[in-house]
Amino acid sequence: MIRSDVRLKELSAILNKNNSPIITESIEELRLENPFEGAIGLLTAYFDKTEEHSIRNSISGFLNDLKDPTVCQEVINEIAKPLKPDTISMLVSSCWQSGLNYSEFAMDLAKTFVKSDYITAIECLTVIEESVTDLSRERKDEVIKLIEDSSSEIPDDIKTLKAELLLILER
């Protein structure tokens, strides 16, 4: 991922115009560029505040299609922010839909799992399951411990997902 303050300012200015066709076009143009630091944060913040379905779909599609592994950390950083549940769910969904390897972020995803709503918990389970073969036994055990230690925080509707996730990690 490159650092480009100029591109970041340009993207910010476009998003601040609140012009759906221009924003959608700009998001499509981002697909043709090398990813730059901060773009995911700007897009996520815009997704979180807008109700415009076409823009939300463009942002979601863009994140789902990311193929550069250097963006994984920025996506995880966004997931940790205090965003609306549907925004966090969209971000976690983009992790597995992109096909990128998020195994090094299993602990972060487990933390999100234990404090999230049902839909986001399913998405976290999916990402962890997709990367479980890349996790060492030690890392799996750390994730299991985190989940078990957080059992009292997990809402009742997620307890069945917790049991499934623990089975996946125990393999």
Side-chain angles (χ1 to χ4, degrees):
M1 188 167 6
I2 63 170
R3 178 146 181 91
S4 177
D5 293 335
V6 171
R7 284 296 295 133
L8 200 57
K9 286 179 186 175
E10 289 172 355
L11 180 58
S12 181
I14 289 167
L15 294 174
N16 286 331
K17 289 180 183 175
N18 292 319
N19 183 319
S20 295
I22 292 173
I23 292 171
T24 302
E25 181 181 329
S26 181
I27 293 168
E28 290 306 311
E29 289 173 4
L30 286 175
R31 293 173 181 269
L32 305 173
E33 299 178 24
N34 288 327
F36 56 91
E37 285 182 44
I40 292 170
L42 284 176
L43 292 173
T44 299
Y46 198 85
F47 183 98
D48 198 55
K49 76 176 187 177
T50 189
E51 295 298 323
E52 179 68 41
H53 293 291
S54 64
I55 294 174
R56 292 181 117 215
N57 288 338
S58 289
I59 293 170
S60 178
F62 172 77
L63 293 173
N64 291 347
D65 293 342
L66 291 172
K67 298 301 176 212
D68 185 337
T70 63
V71 303
C72 294
Q73 182 65 61
E74 191 169 349
V75 172
I76 293 297
N77 291 347
E78 293 303 311
I79 290 169
K81 290 182 178 178
L83 301 166
K84 293 176 185 171
D86 66 323
T87 303
I88 294 171
S89 182
M90 179 276 298
L91 286 165
V92 177
S93 175
S94 78
C95 294
W96 68 266
Q97 292 199 45
S98 70
L100 293 171
N101 184 342
Y102 279 85
S103 59
E104 74 178 275
F105 304 103
M107 288 295 284
D108 299 289
L109 292 162
K111 289 174 186 174
T112 301
F113 176 89
V114 299
K115 65 179 183 178
S116 64
D117 61 13
Y118 189 79
I119 298 297
T120 306
I122 289 173
E123 300 292 356
C124 289
L125 182 145
T126 303
V127 178
I128 294 169
E129 182 177 31
E130 290 291 318
S131 62
V132 76
T133 57
D134 294 323
L135 296 175
S136 67
R137 180 74 257 158
E138 181 182 10
R139 177 57 87 180
K140 288 177 189 177
D141 290 342
E142 290 171 357
V143 174
I144 289 169
K145 181 173 178 6
L146 182 140
I147 293 167
E148 288 177 340
D149 289 351
S150 302
S151 286
S152 64
E153 300 170 37
I154 297 175
D156 288 340
D157 63 336
I158 298 176
K159 294 209 188 270
T160 55
L161 293 177
K162 175 193 130 190
E164 178 67 24
L165 182 55
L166 291 175
L167 283 174
I168 290 166
L169 291 164
E170 289 169 355
R171 293 184 202 150

